Amino acid sequence: MQVAWAEFTNAFRNIVRQYRRSLFGISAVAFGVVAMLLTAGFVEWIFWAAREGTIEEGLGHIHIMQPGYLANGQADPYKYLMEEKSVRVSGIEELTAVRTAAPRIGFAGLISRNETTLSFIGEGVSPQRERILSPSLQITEGQNLAQDENKGILLGRGLAENLGATVGDQVVLMATTPSGGFNAVEVNVRGLFGTVSKAYDESALRVPLPLAQQLLRVSGIHLSILVLDDTMRTSDTLKTLRSDFKDTGFEFVPWYDLADFYNKTVELLSKQVLVVEAIIAAVIVLSISNTMTMGVLERTSEIGTCLAIGRRRRQILRQFIYEGLTIGLIGGALGVLLGWMLATAISTIGIPMPPPPGMSDGYTGEIMLTSQLAVEAFLLALGTTLLASVYPAWRASRMEIVDALRHHH
């Protein structure tokens, strides 16, 4: 241990002695770490914002439904209705991680105002519980649904525009009942809402659950959506539900099995981050390898002298590897520190971003650094400098004593 520490100390002295060339290597490592942290930190923030935004716009954390609803519910929605009270009686809402269980029924039909009739996709919701489930829902005009106003509905702003409806207007909803008949109710437009998806806004509406059940002439619901106190507790809560409540006959589906767009985004951006990491690693390897190789050439006579006085070749090999590792340690630590400072400054200012394709609103991005990202960046610095040091160190240890000493003259 003492020998290794002595060799490491000697390597540090050599770096200080060759400070100009060492600074170039340290700068290359630090720049690579900063670039990786800022890139990966921005992508990490996108993952977090997309995840929480998707959940808070109404997806929730865990869906409770009848088995088969996901696969066949659109073809035969009335076959998969369940009683709302059955979810409450089972005691699922009593779990410590659960904030609320929001009932929901999905349906489709026609909406009419004056001479205009359009198709829509509707959701019957509990106004009170929906405020917990969908806190990010943007009410662009008017007011949200109210518990004491069953005739007041929300229209997507695109649907309202196509229909020519505004807040306060009366419209007629029409839908097919389980018996195959046709039912209609007259309602008031209480407000307009907007989401990140323009296509969804052009066809969506929300109504109080009792109104939806009245229109469809049913008494059940399709879903009970659980909202947890922390997204990170989803997997543990899911395991509890599937083991402790398997006798209820319900199917429990987590949010990440339903968020197809989010999953594809994570997959795509994760691959791009790997490409960035590979490029950064290549830059560091080439820079350090060049620095170490030039150092070996400049110190050829020194290496020959060390060999001549009895130092072993493996000691020479370790010396140059330690020098590379020291550059990696210093550059990695400096890069993490600078990356954290830059990430904090950039996040404070914000990164204005345009609306993504298919979405109507832009957003302000941030850099989200985690301890895992910092450790990965630091280990990347150490790993690449170690790899870059192997060949120059091997070359130094393979020198012939006579040729190395003659180089001085």
Side-chain angles (χ1 to χ4, degrees):
M1 187 67 181
Q2 290 181 347
V3 173
W5 176 251
E7 289 181 343
F8 182 79
T9 304
N10 185 50
F12 181 77
R13 290 197 191 100
N14 288 332
I15 288 176
V16 174
R17 184 161 55 90
Q18 303 285 337
Y19 69 92
R20 290 182 179 177
R21 195 169 297 282
S22 299
L23 281 177
F24 175 79
I26 291 171
S27 300
V29 174
F31 173 79
V33 171
V34 169
M36 177 184 169
L37 285 177
L38 294 183
T39 303
F42 179 61
V43 173
E44 186 73 17
W45 180 86
I46 290 177
F47 291 167
W48 172 84
R51 181 190 71 199
E52 296 302 320
T54 300
I55 291 170
E56 291 183 358
E57 284 192 349
L59 182 64
H61 292 97
I62 299 175
H63 287 208
I64 304 173
M65 65 188 74
Q66 295 281 20
Y69 174 70
L70 277 182
N72 306 309
Q74 288 187 341
D76 190 2
Y78 298 115
K79 181 181 178 180
Y80 299 95
L81 290 172
M82 61 183 185
E83 293 298 325
E84 181 184 356
K85 64 180 181 181
S86 63
V87 179
R88 297 184 179 180
V89 171
S90 65
I92 292 175
E93 289 187 78
E94 306 302 322
L95 295 176
T96 56
V98 177
R99 294 177 59 199
T100 191
R104 189 174 285 182
I105 184 171
F107 62 101
L110 299 175
I111 181 171
S112 178
R113 178 181 180 273
N114 296 333
E115 301 298 323
T116 305
T117 301
L118 301 172
S119 60
F120 70 83
I121 299 173
E123 290 178 327
V125 302
S126 168
Q128 184 177 0
R129 293 172 180 262
E130 198 68 22
R131 283 180 169 82
I132 302 175
L133 174 61
S134 308
S136 296
L137 183 69
Q138 296 180 2
I139 305 299
T140 57
E141 291 184 42
Q143 297 177 307
N144 205 339
L145 298 177
Q147 194 76 21
D148 57 352
E149 189 178 342
N150 284 339
K151 294 293 185 179
I153 71 168
L154 291 179
L155 297 181
R157 55 187 175 187
L159 177 60
E161 182 179 346
N162 294 335
L163 192 64
T166 59
V167 175
D169 287 348
Q170 287 190 334
V171 296
V172 176
L173 302 182
M174 296 167 281
T176 305
T177 64
S179 62
F182 208 62
N183 195 23
V185 293
E186 190 173 47
V187 295
N188 300 316
V189 178
R190 181 175 172 85
L192 308 181
F193 70 88
T195 66
V196 295
S197 174
K198 294 176 65 176
Y200 178 75
D201 292 347
E202 290 175 352
S203 61
L205 60 82
R206 290 187 172 192
V207 306
L209 182 61
L211 175 62
Q213 292 171 333
Q214 175 191 345
L215 175 63
L216 301 175
R217 293 177 180 169
V218 298
S219 59
I221 58 175
H222 285 132
L223 300 170
S224 183
I225 304 177
L226 300 185
V227 180
L228 308 182
D229 55 8
D230 188 350
T231 301
M232 304 307 294
R233 300 181 69 176
T234 301
S235 296
D236 291 339
T237 304
L238 184 64
K239 290 178 182 178
T240 301
L241 289 170
R242 287 176 174 173
S243 61
D244 296 353
F245 299 91
K246 58 183 178 181
D247 295 335
T248 60
F250 295 139
E251 182 179 2
F252 304 98
V253 182
W255 67 269
Y256 43 78
D257 286 350
L258 301 168
D260 184 59
F261 178 77
Y262 169 81
N263 292 331
K264 290 180 179 178
T265 301
V266 170
E267 181 181 0
L268 175 63
L269 293 182
S270 296
K271 292 179 180 178
Q272 293 178 352
V273 169
L274 288 177
V275 172
V276 171
E277 289 181 0
I279 293 173
I280 292 172
V283 171
I284 294 177
V285 167
L286 292 175
S287 300
I288 300 302
S289 180
N290 178 67
T291 300
M292 298 290 292
T293 301
M294 293 303 296
V296 169
L297 293 176
E298 290 179 355
R299 294 159 60 187
T300 299
S301 59
E302 175 189 330
I303 295 169
T305 302
C306 290
L307 291 171
I309 62 176
R311 290 195 69 183
R312 297 182 178 181
R313 295 187 182 276
R314 64 171 176 266
Q315 290 178 308
I316 301 295
L317 177 71
R318 287 200 302 267
Q319 175 185 327
F320 280 91
I321 288 180
Y322 282 149
E323 290 180 16
L325 281 176
T326 304
I327 291 175
L329 281 170
I330 298 173
L334 183 62
V336 169
L337 178 61
L338 290 176
W340 177 80
M341 294 173 63
L342 283 173
T344 302
I346 292 172
S347 297
T348 301
I349 299 171
I351 308 172
M353 302 295 294
M359 299 183 181
S360 52
D361 296 325
Y363 58 95
T364 301
E366 297 180 15
I367 307 293
M368 185 177 182
L369 292 189
T370 63
S371 56
Q372 181 180 351
L373 285 180
V375 171
E376 288 178 358
F378 187 73
L379 291 178
L380 177 69
L382 287 184
T384 49
T385 50
L386 176 61
L387 178 64
S389 304
V390 170
Y391 175 71
W394 176 83
R395 184 174 177 179
S397 66
R398 295 295 95 192
M399 284 187 179
E400 295 295 333
I401 299 176
V402 176
D403 293 335
L405 291 175
R406 187 183 299 121
H407 185 271
H408 177 70
H409 300 286

